[in-house]
Amino acid sequence: ATTFDEFTKLVVTKSRGGSGGPKLVFTPIQLNVNKRDITFANQLFINNEFVDASDTSRVLRTINPNDESVICSVQSATKGDVDRAVKAANDAFESGEWPLMNARDRGKLMFRLADLMEQHKEELATIESIDSGAVYTLAIKTHIDSKLSVCRSTRGSGAVYTLAIKTHIGMSIDTWRYFAGWCDKIQGSTIPINNARPNRNLSFTKKEPIGVCGIITPWNYPLMMVSWKMAACLAAGNTVVLKPAQVSPLTALKLAELSVYAGFPPGVINILPGTGSVCGQAIADHPLVRKLGFTGSTPIGQTIMKSCAESNMKRVSLELGGKSPLIIFNDADLDRAVRHAMGAVFFNKGENCIAAGRLFVEQSIHDQFVSRVLEETKKIKIGDPLDRSTSHGPQNHRAHLEKLVEYAQIGVKEGAKLVYGGAQVDRPGLFFTPTIFTAVTDDMYIAREESFGPIMIVSTFPDGDVDGVLRRANATEFGLASGVFTRDISKALYVTEKVNAGTCFVNCYNKTDVAAPFGGFKQSGFGKDLGQEALNEYLKTKTITIEY
Ligand code: NDP
């Protein structure tokens, strides 16, 4: 038992003649990192067991982006393995313990999983940190404004809130608890319909689970993306086959392990590390999968939607890329605007789907804004994400880093003004300097395309031209998020009305919450994660009509 709570439970259970709870036999990878022992599986998780892939000759190498060392190799699922997992999920949905379970008991399992995640949160945060470069401790606040930080560290007062723990792991735990609470509140409605006189009629709807759901997640917030989708999917009563991103699969495998200890029946949760082209594609194509939830790039979203249509018309929800506009008016609180704009771009090293892809700053404050941002950006501490003083960690993987270097080079070639950064940091590991471009015009590549990295793209607009800047902000095929900074409430509300994006932040940014629906418009996809609306993505409505 790795925690005191688990240890005492085990002692009590064994002293009463119990077996000590569900057993899971596997050989974990064991490491000592971040001054703690961590363990996790590196196999496929099917039917509550860790098993080898049917082809063990092709494994995925998981790399620590801090120094490019190999953490371990992970099994890679084949098409046959996907079939095995889908059949297990289908059996669990059709005939196992899961469909017989009361909704409230389903909620209890999810609460129990959240409690186990809480007990293991430092371990989960450490795994996330070495696997994806997530900064373990928060520090973005210290060099921006300790009073009004994007995230807060309260070291010394007992609690230390850390980025990996608070955002990556903390929000994952909150998500499981939030959806656990929904399990016994999924309701239909009673609908007045015309009576077939002289008889009378009654019509009502029931919300039912869809069946086996496929979920495919990206690498930027590995555990959080898994949790956002899987918690809603299970709360609705479905079973799941999930493929995490091949470059960052480890926390998903740790979650699989904890789900057994939480008591989930076999086949309800199946997690298949593997490649998108083989494992992901096989999930999208599988005839027994009835719904697919996806977060990732727009081009792969298009491929998936096509596969879902052609295979069996499975339902699909897509959370795709973004190029979110952030408009800063000259009447904004400048300190606040600078602080949040930096968070909007640099948070999680820019690997953030709602990152502000483009800043529009009103002409009269442009120079002052840029010089303030520059001053603060120079203070950002780049380093090992496990180091408690680091605020900016390495990019997730090499191909992504190389894409960012190329992106910055394109910006320079196009004639944008490179004010800061623009290159890989001269040290081992996959570090990219927080970067600032100004004088960016609408036709440039960097004004149109998402970087998914710590690159601030600043354009300006004439004072007072609210409609003009809105036209430019909306002139994109993306529509994930947006933001506005102004002290004028009417102007702020006007922007929220006119901006064509799924989320609009006013005088804040990145303020997502498990209870607030999240998802995009246009080519940023459709369907919501989080909030009550996310449940509907994983439910079907049945209408029942009675004549009496
Ligand atoms: P992808 O869209 O390529 O990958 C997302 C997930 O889809 C991964 O698990 C991937 O597998 C899988 N996948 C790839 N091909 C297929 C397929 N044919 N069928 C089913 N699944 C598939 O995104 P990337 O991770 O490569 O990132 C590229 C860009 O996408 C980023 O630079 C960013 O612009 C955007 N992005 C947006 C995110 C968001 O939150 N909206 C998140 C991540 C990326 P595999 O592990 O093999 O790659």
Side-chain angles (χ1 to χ4, degrees):
T2 54
T3 66
F4 186 68
D5 191 40
E6 278 177 23
F7 170 73
T8 49
K9 269 193 203 134
L10 201 67
V11 169
V12 171
T13 316
K14 290 216 163 178
S15 68
R16 289 177 180 166
S19 64
K23 287 249 176 338
L24 189 54
V25 182
F26 71 108
T27 311
I29 303 290
Q30 298 181 324
L31 301 173
N32 186 280
V33 198
N34 199 20
K35 296 192 184 125
R36 64 179 54 252
D37 292 328
I38 59 171
T39 64
F40 47 86
N42 65 341
Q43 292 169 287
L44 317 182
F45 182 72
I46 302 175
N47 235 349
N48 274 10
E49 286 175 4
F50 284 110
V51 293
D52 279 345
S54 50
D55 177 2
T56 50
S57 66
R58 287 202 196 148
V59 289
L60 308 167
R61 282 189 332 148
T62 301
I63 309 285
N64 181 341
N66 183 50
D67 55 9
E68 294 193 81
S69 59
V70 178
I71 301 170
C72 64
S73 58
V74 176
Q75 296 280 310
S76 182
T78 63
K79 196 174 168 197
D81 297 322
V82 170
D83 194 47
R84 202 160 33 129
V86 171
K87 285 189 173 135
N90 196 54
D91 287 349
F93 183 78
E94 297 281 341
S95 54
E97 210 181 307
W98 188 243
L100 302 175
M101 195 178 279
N102 288 322
R104 206 156 292 160
D105 293 336
R106 201 162 71 227
K108 276 187 203 150
L109 287 184
M110 292 176 63
F111 277 121
R112 208 174 297 150
L113 177 59
D115 289 346
L116 284 169
M117 290 167 77
E118 180 108 49
Q119 284 167 25
H120 289 263
K121 70 173 184 247
E122 277 90 4
E123 187 181 16
L124 284 164
T126 304
I127 298 172
E128 205 71 296
S129 195
I130 59 169
D131 196 17
S132 78
V135 168
Y136 190 84
T137 45
L138 140 84
I140 211 159
K141 67 102 201 170
T142 44
H143 51 76
I144 297 174
D145 178 343
S146 57
K147 274 200 314 232
L148 291 160
S149 55
V150 177
C151 301
R152 281 167 206 283
S153 173
T154 52
R155 223 185 264 246
S157 63
V160 181
Y161 295 121
T162 62
L163 187 56
I165 286 185
K166 192 179 176 210
T167 304
H168 290 257
I169 312 305
M171 195 179 191
S172 302
I173 296 169
D174 283 350
T175 305
W176 283 96
R177 293 208 170 112
Y178 174 79
F179 284 109
W182 269 114
C183 289
D184 61 357
K185 297 167 195 72
I186 295 170
Q187 300 171 346
S189 48
T190 314
I191 301 161
I193 61 166
N194 277 351
N195 292 324
R197 292 164 71 176
N199 293 332
R200 301 179 69 75
N201 287 93
L202 170 68
S203 212
F204 62 92
T205 58
K206 276 176 75 184
K207 299 274 187 186
E208 295 182 349
I210 298 170
V212 179
C213 297
I215 293 178
I216 297 173
T217 53
W219 41 262
N220 54 335
Y221 291 103
L223 184 65
M224 208 166 91
M225 292 298 108
V226 168
S227 300
W228 280 20
K229 291 191 183 326
M230 207 202 275
C233 173
L234 296 178
N238 301 286
T239 56
V240 66
V241 177
L242 179 139
K243 187 197 95 64
Q246 61 170 298
V247 287
S248 303
L250 301 183
T251 42
L253 292 169
K254 188 74 197 177
L255 183 80
E257 183 188 329
L258 297 180
S259 75
V260 176
Y261 301 133
F264 279 88
V268 173
I269 295 175
N270 302 277
I271 295 187
L272 303 180
T275 64
S277 54
V278 175
C279 172
Q281 189 63 51
I283 295 173
D285 286 338
H286 203 288
L288 285 177
V289 175
R290 296 290 168 192
K291 151 87 201 199
L292 200 127
F294 172 78
T295 295
S297 62
T298 298
I300 299 296
Q302 286 167 327
T303 307
I304 282 180
M305 199 169 159
K306 207 168 154 192
S307 305
C308 289
E310 284 173 354
S311 53
N312 61 344
M313 204 63 98
K314 55 178 72 64
R315 275 171 62 177
V316 58
S317 48
L318 305 169
E319 201 262 276
L320 309 175
K323 186 71 180 169
S324 303
L326 173 57
I327 304 171
I328 301 170
F329 288 105
N330 61 13
D331 62 351
D333 173 341
L334 197 63
D335 281 351
R336 194 178 172 89
V338 166
R339 182 163 33 85
H340 283 272
M342 290 183 65
V345 177
F346 299 142
F347 191 74
N348 201 42
K349 353 134 206 173
E351 293 168 354
N352 186 7
C353 47
I354 54 167
R358 203 159 170 208
L359 271 58
F360 294 95
V361 184
E362 202 159 9
Q363 187 73 60
S364 53
I365 56 160
H366 174 270
D367 293 355
Q368 200 190 350
F369 175 84
V370 172
S371 82
R372 289 283 308 279
V373 166
L374 176 62
E375 191 188 324
E376 297 299 339
T377 304
K378 285 179 180 165
K379 296 180 199 163
I380 291 176
K381 171 94 192 298
I382 300 170
D384 180 348
L386 287 171
D387 185 325
R388 302 304 190 262
S389 66
T390 293
S391 53
H392 183 85
Q395 303 305 140
N396 184 285
H397 52 279
R398 175 157 281 284
H400 182 51
L401 172 77
E402 284 166 3
K403 209 181 97 183
L404 293 179
V405 171
E406 194 190 340
Y407 186 96
Q409 285 165 352
I410 294 172
V412 172
K413 244 184 243 156
E414 287 180 308
K417 184 174 169 197
L418 179 64
V419 175
Y420 192 71
Q424 184 175 358
V425 182
D426 185 16
R427 57 166 285 162
L430 305 175
F431 293 86
F432 189 80
T433 316
T435 294
I436 305 168
F437 276 106
T438 59
V440 179
T441 54
D442 297 356
D443 56 314
M444 289 180 183
Y445 174 84
I446 62 170
R448 290 179 286 112
E449 295 297 327
E450 181 182 35
S451 73
F452 218 60
I455 304 182
M456 187 179 281
I457 308 287
V458 186
S459 302
T460 185
F461 64 96
D463 281 17
D465 189 9
V466 180
D467 285 318
V469 73
L470 273 165
R471 256 194 313 277
R472 292 170 66 195
N474 283 331
T476 163
E477 272 301 303
F478 294 115
L480 191 55
S482 58
V484 55
F485 279 82
T486 173
R487 285 193 173 97
D488 179 342
I489 185 70
S490 303
K491 198 155 52 176
L493 287 176
Y494 184 71
V495 170
T496 63
E497 193 180 308
K498 295 287 174 190
V499 78
N500 198 1
T503 294
C504 185
F505 297 108
V506 178
N507 293 332
C508 62
Y509 208 88
N510 282 336
K511 194 149 186 61
T512 51
D513 187 275
V514 293
F518 179 100
F521 299 163
K522 298 193 275 185
Q523 291 198 37
S524 292
F526 51 83
K528 296 290 182 195
D529 283 322
L530 304 180
Q532 185 181 0
E533 287 201 30
L535 283 172
N536 291 330
E537 304 295 335
Y538 294 95
L539 287 165
K540 56 186 197 281
T541 303
K542 183 177 280 173
T543 305
I544 296 148
T545 300
I546 305 167
E547 192 162 288
Y548 61 100

